[in-house]
Amino acid sequence: SGEEFKKYNYNKETNKWGDNGERDPQFVETGRSQWEMLEEYMSGFTIPVYHCQGNHDIIDEDHWSPVCGNRDYFGEYLTRHIKASEESGKYKRHITRDESVHYYETVINGHKFVFTEAPHPHKPHDVIGKEELEWLDRVLFDGEESGKPIFVMGHSPIDPRLNKKTAYANFKDLDELKKVLAKHPTVIYVSGHSHFTLDTPLRNAIDGRQEFPSHLHNGGMTTT
């Protein structure tokens, strides 16, 4: 409905963003709102779906992004989604992760996939952080013996040559991330983040045989 749209999206009449329902009386401090709607929607999927955290999934007390969820609610959703998917048999391999983080790794059809957490859900947001970088380095080393490509899913593109030089991941420790990836030549980094429609002409790939790391950018799928 129109009222629902206003609650979850930008309202041109008031020139304000909706609050995603997080502060709606029926949702406050319940962990519901959009996550509950998404959970219900995803329950009908018969194929496995893996989530990679983006900036709209998290928020902090500074409300740094006007249209996003709550970091704790996202963590609760991620836990419930993984548990439900494993119980239903959608995931052939068990996923383990520290409940305090949103990053994890698993094997899909014989290939290692790593799902990162960036931007950071706690202040400061514009860092990846030493703990996650050390974890990433470790799981990439563990996956190299197979000789197969390792797919690292990161929300934002890490090279300004992609995505029309917009929506670049301006993390303070981005150079440290690139150093970790550079140690592992089988890595293919995959990003999203931009809101360009899929028919927008973009440079969407950097080939690791000439430049490192290999980088695929999905461009986008919706616009407001």
Side-chain angles (χ1 to χ4, degrees), residues 58-66 71 120-125:
I58 56 173
I59 197 170
D60 208 329
E61 61 273 10
D62 55 341
H63 297 275
W64 66 282
S65 180
R71 65 166 187 261
H120 203 271
H122 298 274
K123 290 183 178 178
H125 300 297

Side-chain angles (χ1 to χ4, degrees), residues 174-187:
L174 182 59
D175 287 343
E176 297 304 313
L177 171 62
K178 291 182 177 180
K179 288 178 182 178
V180 170
L181 296 177
K183 294 161 63 176
H184 308 281
T186 60
V187 162

Side-chain angles (χ1 to χ4, degrees), residues 63-79:
H63 297 275
W64 66 282
S65 180
V67 281
C68 53
N70 177 292
R71 65 166 187 261
D72 296 326
Y73 293 174
F74 175 71
E76 292 169 9
Y77 164 77
L78 189 62
T79 298

Side-chain angles (χ1 to χ4, degrees), residues 80-172:
R80 292 195 305 266
H81 171 74
I82 291 174
K83 181 181 178 182
S85 296
E86 289 176 343
E87 290 176 349
S88 70
K90 293 178 185 178
Y91 290 164
K92 290 185 167 65
R93 174 176 164 136
H94 186 68
I95 294 175
T96 57
R97 71 179 184 94
D98 186 328
E99 292 303 315
S100 65
V101 300
H102 300 155
Y103 52 84
Y104 60 96
E105 56 94 13
T106 190
V107 172
I108 305 173
N109 294 332
H111 288 78
K112 182 181 284 290
F113 279 73
V114 182
F115 298 85
T116 62
E117 172 189 274
H120 203 271
H122 298 274
K123 290 183 178 178
H125 300 297
D126 57 350
V127 298
I128 301 163
K130 181 180 179 181
E131 289 186 6
E132 183 175 358
L133 289 170
E134 290 179 347
W135 169 85
L136 177 62
D137 196 18
R138 184 169 63 253
V139 299
L140 293 181
F141 271 124
D142 290 343
E144 286 184 339
E145 290 185 4
S146 69
K148 297 179 180 179
I150 302 173
F151 297 90
V152 177
M153 318 302 285
H155 183 67
S156 302
I158 59 173
D159 193 301
R161 292 169 292 180
L162 295 170
N163 196 35
K164 288 190 172 182
K165 298 184 179 180
T166 64
Y168 177 54
N170 191 24
F171 304 132
K172 290 180 179 177

Side-chain angles (χ1 to χ4, degrees), residues 25-42:
Q26 64 178 313
F27 294 137
V28 169
E29 297 180 357
T30 66
R32 297 180 66 196
S33 75
Q34 289 193 94
W35 299 121
E36 186 173 74
M37 298 174 191
L38 179 61
E39 194 168 15
E40 181 178 352
Y41 178 74
M42 298 294 287

